[in-house]
Amino acid sequence: MTFGSAQVRCVEEVRIANHIESFTSNRDLLEANRYWLYPHFLDDHGGFDLVFQSWIVEIGGRVILIDPCNGNDRPHSVPYFNMLDVPYIERMQASGYLPQDIDYVICTHLHHDHCGWNTRLRDGKWVPTFPNARYIVRRLEYDNFLAADAGLPADDLNKGVFARSVEPVMAAGLMDLVSADHALFSGVTIEGAPGHTFGHQMVHFHSAGQHAYFTGDCFHHPIQLADPTVLFAGADDTAALIATRRRLVELSCEQDAYLIAAHVPAPYAVRASLAGEIVHFTAGAQTL
Ligand SMILES: [Zn+2]
């Protein structure tokens, strides 16, 4: 995808077949939104893929990696994620980027599927995968996960994530803890987007008059923009999550902005616009 002068590439790790019934069984809602959900976000049988993918955004001569997925070699209580052996780095190279090319790694939050490739296993030790990058994590998110880490039960989805994927980066001096409104450089801002986790952040790009928001897990399926009350994965703060989704739709309408979520399949981007009082959605962005 492109927006403004930015080029965006997707690096996919794994995908899991899902069904819209796991989000909502509201037929009227689905029919009313079929015009933009079908066929990419909803097939003939109500199916779609939940994709675990990262974004590489090249803008202003810098390369930013957003949400580096689960990572290889990690034990996990969910079989889909257990001891992955995925050629993620090779796929990144096929897109034209080596690990040392990455200038910034931004984790929207610290769940297992958003910070895994922060590190990789080398000679029995977890070491940073991107040696030349600054890793950008929100301070509130870091503090919350640090405090919760020791008390996580063995089957928690994020058990061991802090020790494997966060601490080694901090120990190597590569991590910057930032506030909710943090200007990374001209045209790139980290903004708070609370709800899925308390410290969840999103990345706002503004280039040549176009806006794009990389929204992490603010929504897992685009139907959650049409009806922000549709829930899926657990949320730290449901009311805040719903408010964040409403704000995303407003931002998209006001700025004609793309909304690009972590787990939404191609064509990835969604835009909202106002037709009178009615919000109208479109899928897809300009392609490279
Ligand atoms: Zn996620």
Side-chain angles (χ1 to χ4, degrees):
M1 291 181 282
T2 66
F3 58 87
S5 64
Q7 299 195 332
V8 185
R9 289 177 174 81
C10 176
V11 182
E12 183 173 323
E13 188 192 58
V14 292
R15 59 173 60 211
I16 300 172
N18 208 314
H19 195 278
I20 199 66
E21 289 279 344
S22 60
F23 283 73
T24 179
S25 50
N26 183 337
R27 300 260 148 229
D28 293 341
L29 176 68
L30 293 171
E31 270 315 304
N33 288 281
R34 193 176 164 78
Y35 73 93
W36 66 285
L37 295 178
Y38 181 85
H40 301 291
F41 303 143
L42 208 55
D43 68 18
D44 285 324
H45 310 287
F48 67 94
D49 282 347
L50 203 59
V51 186
F52 296 79
Q53 60 202 349
S54 304
W55 302 102
I56 298 176
V57 183
E58 187 163 354
I59 180 170
R62 284 134 155 157
V63 183
I64 301 172
L65 175 70
I66 301 171
D67 279 348
C69 298
N70 293 281
N72 279 352
D73 302 312
R74 287 143 162 93
H76 200 279
S77 57
V78 175
Y80 293 125
F81 304 122
N82 187 42
M83 302 305 284
L84 289 180
D85 181 16
V86 175
Y88 174 91
I89 298 298
E90 290 78 359
R91 289 175 189 168
M92 182 181 283
Q93 288 176 3
S95 299
Y97 299 96
L98 298 167
Q100 54 266 38
D101 297 334
I102 305 298
D103 297 306
Y104 295 95
V105 176
I106 302 176
C107 302
T108 57
H109 60 299
L110 292 179
H111 281 165
H112 64 97
D113 54 321
H114 294 261
C115 62
W117 284 100
N118 277 4
T119 59
R120 52 182 168 177
L121 200 54
R122 285 285 179 271
D123 301 322
K125 283 182 60 179
W126 295 102
V127 300
T129 307
F130 308 102
N132 299 321
R134 299 308 302 173
Y135 288 67
I136 310 298
V137 170
R138 198 166 158 203
R139 181 178 294 281
L140 175 65
E141 185 79 352
Y142 180 90
D143 288 345
N144 285 347
F145 277 77
L146 175 62
D149 185 58
L152 292 178
D155 63 346
D156 189 275
L157 295 179
N158 298 302
K159 184 73 180 173
V161 167
F162 204 84
R164 289 189 290 261
S165 306
V166 181
E167 274 180 345
V169 179
M170 183 58 92
L174 299 182
M175 188 169 282
D176 294 328
L177 300 179
V178 301
S179 60
D181 281 297
H182 176 79
L184 199 59
F185 55 87
S186 177
V188 185
T189 312
I190 312 291
E191 299 180 8
H196 180 67
T197 64
F198 293 113
H200 191 289
Q201 61 185 3
M202 62 182 179
V203 195
H204 176 194
F205 292 90
H206 182 199
S207 173
Q210 272 199 311
H211 293 264
Y213 292 83
F214 287 77
T215 62
D217 282 359
C218 292
F219 60 97
H220 287 79
H221 187 280
I223 194 70
Q224 293 167 309
L225 296 174
D227 181 352
T229 67
V230 171
L231 300 176
F232 173 61
D236 283 354
D237 184 338
T238 300
L241 179 60
I242 291 168
T244 290
R245 290 174 181 165
R246 294 211 161 101
R247 189 160 68 90
L248 289 177
V249 173
E250 285 170 14
L251 285 169
S252 186
C253 288
E254 286 166 10
Q255 301 173 344
D256 197 24
Y258 295 129
L259 307 176
I260 301 160
H263 302 303
V264 169
Y268 312 117
V270 173
R271 267 190 296 181
S273 57
L274 272 179
E277 304 252 297
I278 307 292
V279 179
H280 185 90
F281 291 97
T282 52
Q286 291 168 267
T287 51
L288 286 174

